[in-house]
Amino acid sequence: MSSELDRVREVAVRDKEARFTALLHHVTVSRLRWAYWAVSPKASPGVDGVTWAAYEQDLERNLLDLHERVQQGRYRASPSRRAYIPKADGRLRPLGIATLEDKMVQRAVAEVLNAVYEADFLGFSYGFRPGRRPHDALDALAVGIERRKVNWVLDADIRDFFGQLDRGWLERFLRHRIADERVLRLIGKWLAAGVTGEGVWSEGAGAPQGASASPLLANVYLHYVLDLWVVWWRRRARGEVIIVRFADLCRARHKSAYAEARIMPTRWAGVLDGWLLAVSGSA
C-alpha cells in the first residue's frame, strides 16, 4: 500500500508549498483492511458496542460498505465513549474510546496524511511518527548531554494539550498542505463528534485523547505552533540550543547562561503557558 503514496511523498518533499487536492481516494478497501488488523482484538468497543471479533464475522462485506460510505460522504463519526485512566500523580486522565469503524477510518486517513507531513516534520520531533520510538528520543537526549557543553536543561510539558488544542487554528494549519475538502470534513466530523459518559453527550474540546488520528493532528499543530518557532528562536539564542520533543513533552538544552526566549508571539501564550514560564524562568 505504501507504494500508492510514493507520488504524494515525492511531491511533498519537492514542493513545500504544494496543497494536495485529491487524497481521499487513497483511503482504499486495502488500507481500511490494514487499519482493521492494526486495531487490537482486545480493544474496548465504542458507543455502538461493536467488537473486533463481531466485525470480523463478515469482514469483507463490512469493509466494502465502510469504504463506500467514506467515499460517498455518507460516513458519520460517532461520539467517543468517555473513560478514565489513573495518572502517576493520582489524578485521572480522560480518554475517548472511539467505535471500531472510527478507529479504522482515522488510522487509514492518518496513514495517507503521514505521506504529506513526514516531509515537513522536523528532526527533533519524535512522538507518534513512523519509524521513531521513545528510545530514539532518549538516545538524542543522551548524545546532546554527553557530547555538548550543556549548562541547563529545560523539561516542559504542555498543560492539558489535547484538551486545549484550538480547533480553529488546527484547521488553518491543515489547510497549508491539505486542500481536499472531503478529508478536512472527515477531520471536522471526528473533532465535533463529542463524547458520552453515563448516558450524557458533551461537545468536548480540543482533540479526543486516545483517538487514532489525534497524535498526527497534535504533531501538525505543534509543528506550526512550537517547532517552527524553536527553529527561529535558536538561530537568535546566544549559544547552542538542542531540542527534543516527544508529542507535547519537550526537552531543551542550552550551553549559554542566557537565551532570548521571551519574545514568543503572544497569541500562543494560552496554549504554551507551561513552555513560556519554564523557558523564561531558566533563561
Side-chain angles (χ1 to χ4, degrees):
M1 291 187 298
S2 296
S3 61
E4 301 173 7
L5 296 176
D6 284 346
R7 174 62 177 165
V8 175
R9 295 188 184 94
E10 291 171 3
V11 174
V13 170
R14 184 176 66 250
D15 186 355
K16 297 299 184 181
E17 302 298 323
R19 299 180 70 233
F20 294 84
T21 60
L23 292 175
L24 191 63
H25 71 277
H26 289 292
V27 180
T28 61
V29 173
S30 296
R31 187 156 277 111
L32 290 171
R33 185 183 298 108
W34 163 83
Y36 168 79
W37 290 110
V39 176
S40 170
K42 298 180 180 179
S44 299
V47 295
D48 60 0
V50 176
T51 64
W52 189 92
Y55 204 82
E56 187 188 19
Q57 297 303 309
D58 200 359
L59 180 58
E60 292 307 312
R61 185 188 298 272
N62 289 332
L63 290 173
L64 288 171
D65 176 66
L66 177 59
H67 177 259
E68 184 177 275
R69 283 183 279 132
V70 169
Q71 296 298 325
Q72 295 180 358
R74 295 187 292 108
Y75 161 82
R76 295 291 181 267
S78 300
S80 298
R81 180 168 62 84
R82 173 65 75 212
Y84 296 89
I85 59 174
K87 299 176 66 173
D89 60 6
R91 293 181 298 166
L92 295 176
R93 180 189 302 275
L95 291 180
I97 300 177
T99 64
L100 177 60
E101 286 196 337
D102 283 343
K103 292 176 183 177
M104 293 162 58
V105 178
Q106 288 187 35
R107 283 178 180 269
V109 171
E111 178 77 4
V112 173
L113 294 183
N114 271 327
V116 176
Y117 285 107
E118 279 300 305
D120 293 350
F121 291 158
L122 302 181
F124 58 76
S125 168
Y126 288 88
F128 308 114
R129 293 180 59 186
R132 292 189 167 217
R133 305 168 302 160
H135 283 290
D136 296 326
L138 293 174
D139 289 344
L141 277 172
V143 169
I145 292 174
E146 293 173 359
R147 300 184 183 180
R148 304 295 178 91
K149 295 180 179 180
V150 175
N151 288 347
W152 55 264
V153 177
L154 164 68
D155 182 356
D157 182 358
I158 301 174
R159 184 179 56 229
D160 188 23
F161 170 69
F162 283 94
Q164 298 298 320
L165 184 149
D166 189 307
R167 295 175 181 176
W169 278 106
L170 174 61
E171 181 180 355
R172 295 188 193 187
F173 297 148
L174 288 168
R175 287 185 179 276
H176 285 316
R177 284 297 234 170
I178 310 303
D180 190 329
E181 294 296 330
R182 298 180 302 168
V183 170
L184 294 171
R185 280 196 296 270
L186 273 178
I187 295 173
K189 289 178 181 180
W190 296 327
L191 296 178
V195 295
T196 59
E198 299 181 353
V200 179
W201 179 88
S202 60
E203 182 178 0
Q209 192 163 357
S212 300
S214 290
L216 172 63
L217 298 179
N219 274 332
V220 171
Y221 195 91
L222 288 172
H223 172 74
Y224 289 101
V225 170
L226 178 59
D227 296 357
L228 295 181
W229 172 78
V230 165
V231 172
W232 175 88
W233 166 50
R234 65 181 179 183
R235 288 172 182 166
R236 292 159 175 77
R238 301 177 187 176
E240 188 175 14
V241 179
I242 306 168
I243 301 289
V244 175
R245 178 173 70 78
F246 193 93
D248 60 323
L249 301 174
C250 307
R251 302 290 187 276
R253 281 96 63 205
H254 201 283
K255 72 176 185 180
S256 170
Y258 181 80
E260 296 174 343
R262 285 180 291 273
I263 51 181
M264 188 172 187
T266 56
R267 65 176 178 270
W268 306 125
V271 178
L272 297 176
D273 185 54
W275 170 266
L276 270 177
L277 290 177
V279 173
S280 298
S282 301

